[in-house]
Amino acid sequence: MTTALHEKLKATNLKDHIGSKIGLSKAQLLSGEFAADIRELIEQRGVLVFPKIEFTEEEQVAFTETLGTMAPEMDGELLYKVTLDSSANVKADYLKGSMYWHIDGTMSKVPVFASILSGRVLSKEGGNTEFCNTYAAYDALSDDDKKAIEKLRVSHSAWATLFYYDPEPPLQKVQEMMRIGENNLPLVWKHASGRKSLVIGATAHHVLDMDHMESTQLLVRLREWATQEQFTYSHTWTVGDTVMWDNTGTMHRATPYDPNSGRMMLRTKLKGEESFEAA
């Protein structure tokens, strides 16, 4: 059913549980007039698509700033080059982990609120960005499952993602990734809004105080559950598209593509506003 918010943003839902396409013009988006509405809808829908909006770098930054406080990258830059081309991104190797379902910022107490990604250079094959709604996935669990996982905590680590794409890494690489640290987080994120979502993905190494085989089976089962068709949206890129997602209520990943394709995305982020831990 079309809501007043959808009408205001000229939004159409892409799937029942996730994703809306926004029909506003570039000028309307940059005006800031609809910023509060966009923030409201992103929390409801998880992913917003702005097709062929064709932001310049300066416009992407300006649009992000209308929505809240920007989160700079480690080097202080506001724009991040998402590419496997090491000549454009010296830490491109680290992005290999982005091919697997994850939430950004699980090494932080307060993860980024949202990310905004624009398509600049595309690969000929693959390279979709996929999202799943971890709010909807939690809501659809059985009452027994919700009760069983309610108080569980999970050890997250960046080094856990290394073994997804490099099963036999050199010790030096393992030690480098381990220096990023570990973070113990609740499996069920109890949000200030009263809603709950799952905190899982490639950084989730093991459930604390649980047999490791049982832990692995639970985390894999929840990942399979959350990434079912009804909870996911796969964005096929066109140059000029911009996609925004609620990092506190979704997981995402890139589908495989040729690392030599030159694929290039530009990302901006909104500063986190809510801790993983209930206040």
Side-chain angles (χ1 to χ4, degrees):
M1 186 172 71
T2 301
T3 66
L5 185 60
H6 279 68
E7 291 177 354
K8 191 172 183 181
L9 295 175
K10 300 180 181 177
T12 55
N13 288 348
L14 296 167
K15 297 186 71 174
D16 287 345
H17 294 294
I18 185 171
S20 293
K21 181 171 66 174
I22 306 300
L24 297 178
S25 69
K26 182 191 292 190
Q28 288 174 313
L29 293 173
L30 292 173
S31 72
E33 177 184 352
F34 300 92
D37 302 304
I38 290 170
R39 285 180 60 103
E40 182 179 349
L41 191 60
I42 193 72
E43 196 269 341
Q44 293 178 16
R45 301 295 302 157
V47 178
L48 300 182
V49 176
F50 307 88
K52 299 190 73 172
I53 205 70
E54 297 183 339
F55 283 138
T56 65
E57 292 185 13
E58 294 77 13
E59 287 170 340
Q60 182 169 336
V61 170
F63 172 61
T64 308
E65 288 178 331
T66 70
L67 299 170
T69 303
M70 287 191 67
E73 300 297 331
M74 294 283 288
D75 58 6
E77 294 292 325
L78 297 179
L79 282 158
Y80 181 74
K81 295 179 179 179
V82 179
T83 179
L84 295 179
D85 181 356
S86 58
S87 67
N89 182 344
V90 295
K91 295 186 177 180
D93 192 55
Y94 182 76
L95 289 172
K96 291 177 181 178
S98 67
M99 304 288 184
Y100 307 94
W101 290 110
H102 66 284
I103 298 170
D104 288 338
T106 52
M107 295 299 97
S108 306
K109 181 179 179 181
V110 179
V112 295
F113 163 57
S115 293
I116 297 166
L117 196 66
S118 61
R120 303 307 172 111
V121 179
L122 306 182
S123 53
K124 290 183 179 180
E125 296 182 357
N128 280 20
T129 303
E130 298 188 328
F131 305 90
C132 75
N133 189 328
T134 54
Y135 281 123
Y138 173 82
D139 289 342
L141 286 170
S142 69
D143 288 342
D144 286 344
D145 270 338
K146 289 177 181 177
K147 183 177 180 180
I149 68 174
E150 181 75 12
K151 296 181 180 179
L152 296 180
R153 296 182 65 81
V154 178
S155 175
H156 286 258
S157 58
W159 63 263
T161 68
L162 174 61
F163 293 91
Y164 278 74
Y165 58 87
D166 189 356
E168 295 183 343
L171 177 60
Q172 181 180 356
K173 185 64 175 180
V174 174
Q175 292 171 331
E176 176 187 331
M177 295 289 279
M178 283 184 168
R179 281 194 288 271
I180 297 173
E182 297 179 319
N183 204 14
N184 295 334
L185 300 174
L187 179 53
V188 178
W189 189 347
K190 301 173 179 66
H191 296 268
S193 66
R195 300 178 73 192
K196 296 178 181 180
S197 63
L198 297 171
V199 184
I200 51 178
T203 63
H205 186 258
H206 65 274
V207 180
L208 301 181
D209 303 317
M210 181 180 284
D211 173 82
H212 277 217
M213 290 178 68
E214 183 182 353
S215 163
T216 296
Q217 291 180 65
L218 174 61
L219 292 174
V220 170
R221 180 166 70 86
L222 289 175
R223 188 251 299 154
E224 286 188 341
W225 174 263
T227 58
Q228 292 179 91
E229 175 66 25
Q230 66 263 37
F231 305 130
T232 58
Y233 166 68
S234 181
H235 185 70
T236 302
W237 288 93
T238 298
V239 172
D241 287 353
T242 292
V243 176
M244 175 181 179
W245 67 93
D246 174 2
N247 184 63
T248 71
T250 64
M251 289 196 296
H252 63 281
R253 68 176 181 180
T255 61
Y257 59 92
D258 181 356
N260 298 313
S261 66
R263 180 182 185 272
M264 174 73 71
M265 305 279 152
L266 289 183
R267 184 187 70 192
T268 48
K269 300 182 298 186
L270 287 167
K271 186 178 179 181
E273 301 172 358
E274 183 178 17
S275 169
F276 282 114
E277 305 287 353

